[in-house]
Amino acid sequence: MAQPDTLVPGVLRLGEEHVATGPFEVGESHLAELKISATKAEAYAVTRADGLRGVRGAAPSSYDDRDGIARAFPHALPQGEELRIVQWMVAAARKSGGAVLADGRQVLLPDAAGSVNLALYAAHPLMPGDVLPMLRSLIATADVSAEQTTPDGSPRYTLAGTTAYDGAIVVDVERVDRVPRALGSLDWRTYGPFAYRIGWAPADPYELELEHVSGLHAIARARLRVSIARLAVALQSRIGGVLVDDGGFIAAPEELDGRNDPTAGGAQGSRAWV
């Protein structure tokens, strides 16, 4: 019988063609090689269920992308489900402070600070006049940039607040027909069909597509990452609902606390996807 602290590998199906096998323990020497700052880690091997190699596309025309996928696959890019799996693995690594070892060779180490945007899914619709004061508490010049009436009477509007140096915070509010898959594991009464998407529009949008950003971009991102987290928490405190990050994962309260205080805590555990 396995002890409570013993890792017992299992198999998880990812889509129609791929499976993840794990977890497996990773030693400190391997963590150092992957440049993961953690006291312990677990690894999962992701492969095709039939053991074959996925069909790859053409070589990338550019190697500048946020996740470094073009760099990791310089000769032929993944296609279809394999590409979606790789993108999901990078998002999972960003969420957990881990890494992706693509094709067993190229290490992708996404920066957790690169996750900035948040979305609140709630059952209660707020009008622009209810949300605007919250945004103005962070950016005094914020205002309504778009508003329209939907056939069912639901509010649909956009608020924007532009800073002097760090870009803008944009809040898009609308009723949606679909919610992120992460919410499927929750009781439907904990969230709702109204999406409050809070995003950052940097001064140079091109840098959002870069794996390695400039120092000025990183500084602005860090400042508005905090502001967006505070606005999201304020909204959730008022109307409830569930917050989801830009990787499609539920944003837990402790994570939001960490965004408000980036120096707090530290990575005590991690995950690697191979």
Side-chain angles (χ1 to χ4, degrees):
M1 182 175 179
Q3 297 299 315
D5 58 350
T6 301
L7 295 179
V8 180
V11 178
L12 172 67
R13 177 169 289 280
L14 303 173
E16 296 296 324
E17 302 170 346
H18 294 77
V19 295
T21 305
F24 304 99
E25 292 186 7
V26 182
E28 290 188 18
S29 60
H30 288 101
L31 290 175
E33 291 176 9
L34 294 173
K35 298 181 180 179
I36 295 178
S37 176
T39 57
K40 60 182 179 179
E42 303 166 358
Y44 299 80
V46 180
T47 59
R48 281 182 61 100
D50 56 15
L52 300 177
R53 183 180 178 87
V55 177
R56 297 281 170 83
S61 58
S62 171
Y63 297 97
D64 288 333
D65 69 275
R66 178 196 185 201
D67 295 333
I69 294 175
R71 173 178 62 79
F73 299 92
H75 304 298
L77 283 172
Q79 299 291 301
E81 182 176 280
E82 184 184 17
L83 177 59
R84 294 192 295 272
I85 294 294
V86 172
Q87 292 170 332
W88 174 78
M89 289 192 295
V90 173
R94 180 177 286 111
K95 179 77 170 180
S96 61
V100 176
L101 190 59
D103 274 0
R105 296 184 298 273
Q106 294 290 338
V107 178
L108 300 176
L109 195 65
D111 184 2
S115 179
V116 178
N117 301 344
L118 293 166
L120 176 68
Y121 291 86
H124 304 289
L126 292 177
M127 301 306 294
D130 299 315
V131 182
L132 187 57
M134 298 183 187
L135 181 55
R136 282 181 173 171
S137 70
L138 301 169
I139 303 174
T141 56
D143 210 341
V144 180
S145 60
E147 184 177 6
Q148 64 182 106
T149 302
T150 61
D152 65 357
S154 299
R156 179 185 294 171
Y157 55 90
T158 300
L159 311 178
T162 302
T163 68
Y165 304 104
D166 298 336
I169 294 178
V170 179
V171 183
D172 285 307
V173 180
E174 65 177 337
R175 184 186 181 102
V176 295
D177 296 326
R178 297 181 179 181
V179 298
R181 290 188 176 183
L183 300 183
S185 61
L186 304 179
D187 188 306
W188 63 270
R189 287 167 293 191
T190 63
Y191 59 89
F194 293 98
Y196 298 76
R197 301 186 182 95
I198 310 170
W200 173 47
D204 184 359
Y206 173 69
E207 291 215 59
L208 290 175
E209 306 302 322
L210 300 181
E211 185 179 9
H212 304 291
V213 300
S214 68
L216 289 177
H217 181 91
I219 292 171
R221 183 180 67 186
R223 285 197 284 246
L224 289 202
R225 188 172 189 258
V226 172
S227 296
I228 286 173
R230 289 175 177 170
L231 178 57
V233 169
L235 268 172
Q236 188 182 42
S237 298
R238 178 165 181 176
I239 60 174
V242 180
L243 285 166
V244 178
D245 65 22
D246 52 13
F249 298 100
I250 293 173
E254 55 269 21
E255 176 188 344
L256 296 170
D257 289 343
R259 291 192 183 204
N260 282 314
D261 182 12
T263 62
Q268 297 301 312
S270 191
R271 280 171 169 69
W273 301 87
V274 181

